[in-house]
Amino acid sequence: MTAPRLTPKRLAAAAAVLAVAVWALCPSPYSKVKNLNSRGANIIAFGDSLTAGYGAAAGEDYPSALSKMIGVPIVNAGVSGDTSEMALARLDADVLARQPRMVIVGLGGNDFLQSVPIASTEASLRQVVRRAQGAGAMVVLLGFRFPSITVSYEKMYARVAGDEACLLIPDLLDGILSNPALKSDEVHPNGRGYQLMAERVAGPCRKLIRKADAAR
């Protein structure tokens, strides 16, 4: 008996079956997030000027836009100028005291601008994540790409997210700071830029909330 001829149609069908099998075997990134069954009450955006909304009008920051998109109130705990270490110092008052259910962490830009060693940035980020999780919150980590030829911030964010069981949204500023129509200055978006940031965060946050609601 001769084997059936592998036509393009049969190859496409086999590839589709293989893709479904691989998808079924790979767990969803949302199912890996720690504290899916969190009993916290609030979603808190914790970060620096990119969270505070520097360069945009009041109400045009990404947490405000995100809140409208997903239909859930979001506390904006962004402080312009914060490094990761500085943000860690105010974590108790600005996040842990507010019954967090989900904490969206956006830090690292000022570390890069101030030439903070990336190892120090990573250590502070890990402490932010771990302490938020210790308070029972899920953590969403925003990743950024900075123009360094010696270190990879992208790999650092991915490493922290993987090790600490939080959800990573990578390269959040992709195409924003290279587009003058989306910037207020060299390092900050304008209202349109923050709107695009919110759109990129909204989908993953909706999925995580649905997954978490099912786990309660």
Side-chain angles (χ1 to χ4, degrees):
M1 179 182 293
T2 58
R5 188 165 63 91
L6 292 177
T7 64
K9 186 175 181 180
R10 284 175 174 162
L11 284 171
V17 170
L18 179 60
V20 170
V22 170
W23 177 85
L25 290 172
C26 294
S28 161
Y30 301 95
S31 65
K32 297 179 181 179
V33 175
K34 189 172 183 177
N35 295 331
L36 277 177
N37 62 346
S38 173
R39 298 295 174 179
N42 297 306
I43 297 177
I44 301 171
F46 184 62
D48 51 31
S49 56
L50 293 176
T51 298
Y54 184 92
E60 291 185 343
D61 54 281
Y62 99 77
S64 293
L66 177 63
S67 177
K68 295 174 184 175
M69 290 176 191
I70 67 175
V72 178
I74 296 177
V75 177
N76 188 329
V79 173
S80 295
D82 261 11
T83 63
S84 298
E85 184 177 20
M86 292 163 66
L88 177 60
R90 62 182 178 87
L91 184 69
D92 283 327
D94 288 357
V95 177
L96 306 188
R98 288 172 161 167
Q99 295 183 294
R101 183 188 186 196
M102 179 192 298
V103 182
I104 306 171
V105 178
L107 292 164
N110 289 307
D111 297 62
F112 169 72
L113 292 173
Q114 296 180 28
S115 300
V116 174
I118 194 170
S120 298
T121 300
E122 181 171 346
S124 294
L125 277 177
R126 286 183 185 272
Q127 285 300 308
V128 168
V129 171
R130 289 171 182 172
R131 289 179 60 187
Q133 290 172 334
M138 300 173 284
V139 175
V140 176
L141 182 62
L142 306 181
F144 303 96
R145 178 191 300 168
F146 301 122
S148 172
I149 61 174
T150 57
V151 295
S152 172
Y153 282 82
E154 289 177 289
K155 291 181 179 178
M156 184 271 288
Y157 288 114
R159 186 165 56 246
V160 172
D163 291 348
E164 307 299 339
C166 49
L167 181 66
L168 175 66
I169 302 178
D171 203 5
L172 190 63
L173 294 176
D174 182 39
I176 295 178
L177 296 187
S178 61
N179 184 346
L182 300 175
K183 295 194 302 182
S184 62
D185 58 28
E186 289 304 308
V187 296
H188 295 98
N190 57 20
R192 291 175 59 192
Y194 286 120
Q195 178 77 15
L196 182 54
M197 286 175 60
E199 290 172 3
R200 293 174 176 176
V201 176
C205 279
R206 285 193 198 99
K207 292 178 182 177
L208 182 57
I209 290 170
R210 285 199 296 266
K211 189 77 175 178
D213 285 345
R216 275 187 161 182

